[in-house]
Amino acid sequence: MAELIDGKALAAAMRAEMAEKVAALRAETGVTPGLGVVLVGDDPASKSYVTAKERALAEAGMVSRDIRLPAETTQAELLQVIAELNADPAVHGILVQLPLPKGLDEAEVIRAIAPEKDVDGFTPVNVGKMVIGEECYLPCTPHGVMKMLERAGVATKGKHAVVVGRSNIVGKPVAHLLAAKNGGNATVTLCHTATQDLAAFTRQADILVVASGRPNTVTGEMVKPGAVVIDVGVNRVPCAGTKTGYRLCGDCDFESVAAVASKLTPVPGGVGPMTITMLLENTHQAAVRAAKRQRS
Ligand code: GUN
């Protein structure tokens, strides 16, 4: 049975350290890190992610400017909100929860975020810097995955890391971070929906990162014995026995993968809490940089 990598415990320890750093920054500079959190529409999963982010910010002593907009919001209205947050000196970071409702141009909205406030690391400027290895805001989920591997003592250098999923939010950036010389320094294979014989690739993985967005994408027989498996998926599947009527599961078949892997992240309690923790790190960093600019 695989050892579970406890993202919840790791995140709790890092958040406690973060609360101390936030208090110290406020005492030294008078600056309290502030994040503009924009949620458009009423997708229940997005709502719950945003609520969790806002709670974590408050617990770390940061301030969130919560902006809730109806699904009918126009592109121009949303761009106006971003422009106001870009100009607000009390807002050090901006987060626009994705996906946006149909009809809104996500790429244009992301491009409108000032790169120095882009704590999600989604703007072309930050993505470009990440790819060429310059200092930047790293996207939160891939950064959380790298931190979990590091803290769990998983050596990545020279290993074969296989990533399943090529989204801009997870798959593509995590593949880059795993391959980077000053990152994972691993040999990386990126699999996606057009990959033929997915299992032939996943079975070669020393480290398998699954971010397909689909339950049961990876089952035990697709995993090399002793591999480390990071399950990034968060799927809501109907479940009659629960209060909410659903339960959360990842992109892996937990039981069969746990029987084969040496380490595995659970869902919930794995990557999710680490994603939020990396958002806190980036927001703190944005506030530190703003405080420095203020003084110079
Ligand atoms: N939707 C799913 N993951 C993320 C994330 O990390 N940031 C934002 N803004 N939206 C998301």
Side-chain angles (χ1 to χ4, degrees):
M1 170 77 184
E3 178 194 329
L4 296 186
I5 304 177
D6 188 344
K8 203 171 159 188
L10 187 50
M14 292 181 73
R15 290 184 201 182
E17 282 171 33
M18 178 49 64
E20 286 176 21
K21 285 200 249 178
V22 169
L25 179 69
R26 189 181 305 116
E28 276 170 36
T29 66
V31 171
T32 300
L35 181 68
V37 182
V38 182
L39 174 62
V40 188
D42 43 26
D43 174 67
S46 290
K47 264 190 190 169
S48 77
Y49 295 145
V50 160
T51 305
K53 289 172 185 180
E54 287 166 348
R55 192 181 316 128
L57 284 159
E59 282 169 10
M62 303 189 194
V63 175
S64 61
R65 170 86 63 81
D66 309 336
I67 297 171
R68 300 285 187 272
L69 300 169
E72 303 73 40
T73 302
T74 65
Q75 183 77 6
E77 286 165 344
L78 182 52
L79 291 175
Q80 181 57 34
V81 167
I82 308 272
E84 284 163 19
L85 293 171
N86 279 342
D88 187 338
V91 171
H92 305 108
I94 299 171
L95 177 139
V96 179
Q97 185 64 28
L98 302 178
L100 290 171
K102 280 207 180 71
L104 292 170
D105 179 346
E106 213 160 85
E108 187 186 35
V109 170
I110 290 170
R111 273 198 307 276
I113 298 169
E116 67 275 14
K117 296 195 178 188
D118 172 28
V119 289
D120 256 329
F122 288 170
T123 60
V125 169
N126 277 312
V127 175
K129 286 183 172 181
M130 177 195 66
V131 172
I132 60 175
E134 280 187 20
E135 191 179 89
C136 62
Y137 293 114
L138 294 179
C140 301
T141 303
H143 194 191
V145 169
M146 297 306 290
K147 268 276 179 305
M148 285 182 103
L149 289 171
E150 186 190 313
R151 298 279 180 116
V154 177
T156 53
K157 184 178 172 185
K159 297 287 167 98
H160 188 188
V162 175
V163 177
V164 182
R166 60 178 153 188
S167 69
N168 288 341
I169 294 181
V170 186
K172 278 188 230 169
V174 88
H176 272 290
L177 296 178
L178 283 163
K181 195 163 187 181
N182 60 352
N185 215 359
T187 302
V188 176
T189 300
L190 179 55
C191 298
H192 46 71
T193 44
T195 298
Q196 294 178 10
D197 196 359
L198 177 64
F201 293 97
T202 59
R203 276 194 209 107
Q204 293 177 40
D206 301 308
I207 296 148
L208 180 59
V209 179
V210 190
S212 60
R214 200 165 45 83
N216 298 318
T217 301
V218 168
T219 54
E221 66 270 22
M222 297 168 73
V223 175
K224 178 162 85 173
V228 174
V229 180
I230 307 291
D231 188 346
V232 183
V234 184
N235 303 293
R236 293 176 168 214
V237 292
C239 183
T242 60
K243 231 191 325 184
T244 50
Y246 66 85
R247 68 179 174 86
L248 293 181
C249 74
D251 292 347
C252 295
D253 174 48
F254 183 83
E255 300 299 332
S256 65
V257 171
V260 181
S262 64
K263 293 180 198 278
L264 172 64
T265 58
V267 179
V271 175
M274 289 301 288
T275 295
I276 298 181
T277 307
M278 294 305 124
L279 176 69
L280 301 182
E281 299 268 345
N282 284 353
T283 304
H284 173 259
Q285 193 53 246
V288 168
R289 289 180 186 154
K292 271 196 193 133
R293 283 198 298 273
Q294 231 173 51
R295 276 188 282 182
S296 60

